[in-house]
Structure formats: structure tokens, C-alpha cells
Amino acid sequence: MGVVTVREEQAIQRLTDRLVDDYPAEQVETVVGTARQRFEGHPVREFVPILIERIARRELAAATEDQSATTTEPATEAVAVQGDSGIRAQGIRAIVASGAGKFVADKRLLALAAAIVVLVLALVVGFAVRRPDEPAAAGAAAPGVSTVHGVVGSEKMAFFEDPRVVEALARKGVKVAVDPAGSRQIATSVDLGKYDFAFPSSAPAADRIQRARNISTKYTPFSSPMAIATFQPIADLLTAAGVLRPGPVPTFDMARYLELVRTDMEWDKLPGNTVYPVHKNILVSTTDPRTSNSAAMYLAIASHVANDNTIVQGPAAEQAVLPTVSRLFVRQGYTENSTEGPFREYLSAGMGPTPMVWIYEAQFVEATVRGQIKPGMVLTYPSPTVLSQHTLVPLNASGDRVGRLLTTDPDLQRLAAEHGFRTSDPTQFAKVTADNHVAVAADLIDMIDTPTNDTLEHLLDGVTKTYN
């Protein structure tokens, strides 16, 4: 019996959000809920969100037609399906009704017939994806599709679960199955033996994997600068405190911010603060530096600024900056393993728990495209910042194929831009941000390099000891 997974729930929520852009919310909820009930108890879980979206779109489109349609359609009989460590097609038969006569169809009947046709076709594709080594059912011409397994930073899960990405890869004969993990976890504690590729969110994490496994090949299909998401009342407070520099795209002065951190400045101590008089330290919310790449990038920037705007190098410099940078993490209390957690809280809970959150620029752009950014939410860039290069390390030939496709396939590059990532073609990202009215930094000027992987690990170890 199928089991609903967290990823399935998230994918269904995303498809619901997409449908609400085109149809009334109440109608979408009803249609999606009805379509979802069709799959209860069936072992088709990986494809449920895709099937639900196709069925829902057909039914919603039919429901909005102004007049009844007349047509002669093929009638399709049932498909027998059984679960046996997967999905096995027992038989697919299509009976085509001939004749030139017309009949006036009820809209609901048309929608149901269309949904059945879509369901059968989608299941045929599903069977080929699930069992690429089995012969296709009689009459089917679908090519074999091989499954490639990867472990990726959580911020890329929405990209890989996008039905358009799934279809673009399937056209190339590939189905990618991914598990999420913090990027530093991928490089340090995840068992990579069961994967075909590792896809952390930074070059240092990828470098560590390459050195540990003696791999020279890597791909960087897209990138994203680090950013800070906040709210307009907080931005106004920070501007008055000299932390935020206003402009078409506000910048966050890391040097001034560290001055406030060193003095344990609290929100309610800021002069004239009537909008957020909270008795807690002024801190950017991050992930856990022991597991997450985004927190490691935050540490890289903070250590650079604390070291007189110089890349940290050597034991003396490491020890000199540790007291300052450790405060940034230890005083937050509990932190999550991946950026998806704090950003999700930012979107849902408002500025109460997370007045400032450390994110990838791509997350804010993607959320804007999906209609999740509300008025008063502000994107700002730390000064200086770093470019997080999402780097894929192939662990075998199958993983190498995925790396090449993500880097060179025009459709996949375009879809990556729609998920907020910067690709090799800057016009793709520029079009997405312009079409969705996202104010982003067009030219990333105030950028720094991260310290060497060894230095970064030393700093992370020092912060870990401070936790303990």
C-alpha cells in the first residue's frame, strides 16, 4: 500500500499554488482533493503529484468552458496494476470507437474521460520509468529510462521535483531520484556509496568530496549569491542603525553588523524602535554550521570582515576571529540542518521569530515566482557576499550524464533560472526576475572568495567546540 511522503505533500502543495494562479482557489482545492483520492492505497506514489496536476488541469479547464463540447473520443479500458517492489503493468488495452456520429456530452463526463486517458498514458510512462529493464507493453513505443540517484542540497529539491524538469530529463532517457541533505553533511557524513552523484551547494564542499574519492570531474550548472531576507520595518530600523544601506537593491553592511554583535546589542535597545521592541540579540537566523553550506558561507563572510577584510589564513588568524564569529551561531540557539527550514519559517511566521534570515538569492526569487512573497518582504545582499556555486560531483558514469545534462541542456538551464538560479546565460535569470518584478543585484561587485577548504573546516570545528 502506498505511503504519502513529505516530498509528495510538498509537491502537491506546490502544484496547488500553481493552479491557484489560473483558477479560483476553492475550485482548485476541491478538484485537487478529489483527484488525490483516486490514488489512495495505490503504489504509484512517486508519480501522484504529476498525475494529480494533469487530471486537475483537465477538469478545471473543462469546468470553465462556456458551452458543451461535441466530440467523438476513444474509449479506454482499465489498466491492471499490482505492486511487487515497484509497479508492474499487467495489460493495457485501448478500444477505439469508430463512426462519424456526434453526441452531446456532459462537462463532467468529458472531464472524467479526459482524466482517464491522461491517467492511463501517465501510468504507461510511470511503468517505463520504474522498470526500465523490462520490455514495454505491447504497442508501446516509450524509450527506456534509467534511474539515477543523487543526494542534493535541500534548496534544489523543488527544482528536481518540478514536473517540467522530470519530463525534460525523461526526454533524455533519465529519471533522477534525489534525497535532500545539508551540503556539509553530504561532504562529511552521508554514505555516498549508494548514490550516482553528489550535488552540494558550494565549491568547498564539492572539493572535499572530490579529494576524498579521488575524482577530478565536476559540473557547476548554476549558482546563487548569498542574501538576507527581512521585512520593511526591520529594514527601516537597520537603516537608522547604519547596518542597511538603502538603494534599488539594499545592501547589508557586515562590518557595522559585527559591531552590534560584539556589543550584544538587542533589538529593543535600538533608538526609536517602536516596531520591533523585542528583548533579544540582533542576529541573522541561519542554519547549523556543522551540517549546512549556507551557514558555512555566512561564516566565510563574517570571518573575512572580522579579519580586517582579508581572507583568513593560518592558525593565528583563525583563532583571532573565532570569538566574534562563534557568537553569530551559538547565541541563536537551535538551528536547522538546511536553508529550507528557516526560509519556510520566514515565509509563514513573519518577522516575529525570524526578522532576518540568511538564504540563497535563488530561494527568494523562486518564492516570488510562486507567489509566496508578500508585500513588505525585502531582499538584501550582505556586503561583502559570496557566490555559492552549486557543484555536482559525478560518482560514476550515470552521475556524469546528469551533470552534463544540467549544464548543457537548454530546457534544464531555462528551468533552473525559473527556480531562481543564475545559469551560464545571464539573460535567462534577467528575464525571470524582470517578468516577476524581483529587485536583484544585476552586477555582483562586492564579492569575496571563500577561505581554503582546510581553513573553513578549522573555523567550523572551532565553532563546534564553542557549542559544546
Side-chain angles (χ1 to χ4, degrees):
M1 181 172 291
V3 178
V4 178
T5 66
V6 173
R7 291 196 324 200
E8 179 182 321
E9 290 284 1
Q10 293 173 340
I12 290 174
Q13 183 58 56
R14 284 194 292 273
L15 77 86
T16 302
D17 293 341
R18 288 195 296 272
L19 291 171
V20 167
D21 290 339
D22 301 320
Y23 302 98
E26 184 176 349
Q27 190 177 10
V28 168
E29 294 287 349
T30 300
V31 172
V32 169
T34 302
R36 189 173 184 178
Q37 290 175 0
R38 302 183 187 184
F39 302 99
E40 291 183 355
H42 292 292
V44 202
R45 300 256 60 96
E46 296 180 35
F47 302 96
V48 163
I50 298 174
L51 301 182
I52 288 176
E53 180 165 11
R54 290 176 177 173
I55 293 170
R57 284 194 181 277
R58 288 294 183 95
E59 294 190 3
L60 289 166
T64 56
E65 290 179 356
D66 294 328
Q67 58 184 7
S68 299
T70 58
T71 185
T72 302
E73 293 195 21
T76 308
E77 291 197 350
V79 179
V81 180
Q82 73 176 36
D84 178 17
S85 300
I87 303 173
R88 192 179 300 273
Q90 298 299 324
I92 299 176
R93 294 186 299 137
I95 302 176
V96 180
S98 61
K102 296 182 179 179
F103 66 94
V104 178
D106 178 84
K107 290 181 181 180
R108 294 174 62 86
L109 182 59
L110 278 172
L112 180 60
I116 292 172
V117 172
V118 172
L119 175 61
V120 171
L121 292 174
L123 284 173
V124 170
V125 174
F127 300 148
V129 171
R130 186 73 174 185
R131 294 294 183 99
D133 53 335
E134 290 186 356
V145 177
S146 60
T147 299
V148 184
H149 297 273
V151 57
V152 307
S154 64
E155 69 289 331
K156 292 185 283 290
M157 288 300 294
F159 170 77
F160 282 106
E161 290 174 343
D162 186 333
R164 298 171 300 169
V165 173
V166 172
E167 291 176 4
L169 288 165
R171 288 195 296 269
K172 301 296 184 180
V174 174
K175 175 194 169 187
V176 174
V178 292
D179 294 325
S183 291
R184 191 163 182 251
Q185 282 180 306
I186 297 174
T188 58
S189 59
V190 170
D191 177 13
L192 298 181
K194 58 183 180 181
Y195 295 108
D196 301 304
F197 68 88
F199 200 176
S201 304
S202 73
D207 178 67
R208 179 163 182 162
I209 296 169
Q210 288 181 280
R211 288 195 294 169
R213 304 181 73 87
N214 195 26
I215 296 172
S216 60
T217 306
K218 66 179 179 182
Y219 297 92
T220 307
F222 36 77
S223 61
S224 181
M226 304 310 303
I228 297 171
T230 187
F231 300 87
Q232 192 59 57
I234 301 298
D236 293 339
L237 283 175
L238 295 174
T239 300
V243 176
L244 210 63
R245 297 196 293 265
V249 182
T251 55
F252 187 96
D253 189 329
M254 288 294 293
R256 172 60 179 151
Y257 167 63
L258 289 185
E259 289 177 10
L260 299 182
V261 172
R262 289 189 185 101
T263 60
D264 295 324
M265 179 63 72
E266 297 174 344
W267 287 105
D268 59 356
K269 299 298 190 299
L270 290 177
N273 178 5
T274 59
V275 296
Y276 194 69
V278 178
H279 187 62
K280 64 179 182 181
N281 291 109
I282 297 176
L283 289 170
V284 176
S285 297
T286 72
T287 46
D288 191 328
R290 294 166 291 188
T291 59
S292 170
N293 170 72
S294 64
M297 296 298 97
Y298 181 57
L299 174 60
I301 294 172
S303 66
H304 181 98
V305 174
N307 194 42
D308 295 326
N309 292 308
T310 305
I311 294 176
V312 176
Q313 186 176 10
E318 293 167 7
Q319 292 303 313
V321 301
L322 270 174
T324 297
V325 298
S326 294
R327 287 172 179 258
L328 301 174
F329 300 103
V330 177
R331 300 211 170 186
Q332 290 185 58
Y334 172 76
T335 50
E336 300 197 45
N337 289 336
S338 65
T339 52
E340 189 65 22
F343 187 61
R344 184 171 57 246
E345 185 175 42
Y346 167 83
L347 293 175
S348 61
M351 71 181 186
T354 52
M356 302 182 292
V357 60
W358 186 258
I359 63 169
Y360 295 100
E361 172 196 67
Q363 291 177 286
F364 197 95
V365 174
E366 180 185 44
T368 304
V369 172
R370 292 165 58 181
Q372 295 176 316
I373 296 300
K374 304 177 183 66
M377 291 181 170
V378 176
L379 176 67
T380 180
Y381 293 82
S383 175
T385 189
V386 296
L387 186 66
S388 185
Q389 297 177 314
H390 295 257
T391 306
L392 186 149
V393 179
L395 305 175
N396 54 36
S398 296
D400 188 79
R401 185 182 182 193
V402 171
R404 283 187 283 108
L405 284 173
L406 292 176
T407 306
T408 61
D409 184 83
D411 288 335
L412 291 171
Q413 285 275 288
R414 174 181 55 80
L415 290 169
E418 290 186 20
H419 280 269
F421 295 106
R422 297 181 183 237
T423 65
S424 58
D425 181 359
T427 61
Q428 295 175 324
F429 180 77
K431 182 179 187 305
V432 170
T433 55
D435 290 348
N436 292 278
H437 309 290
V438 193
V440 297
D443 298 314
L444 298 169
I445 299 173
D446 193 5
M447 303 280 293
I448 62 169
D449 292 325
T450 60
T452 65
N453 186 65
D454 288 340
T455 296
L456 194 55
E457 287 299 317
H458 293 162
L459 291 171
L460 288 166
D461 289 341
V463 171
T464 299
K465 290 176 182 176
T466 307
Y467 273 106
N468 295 335

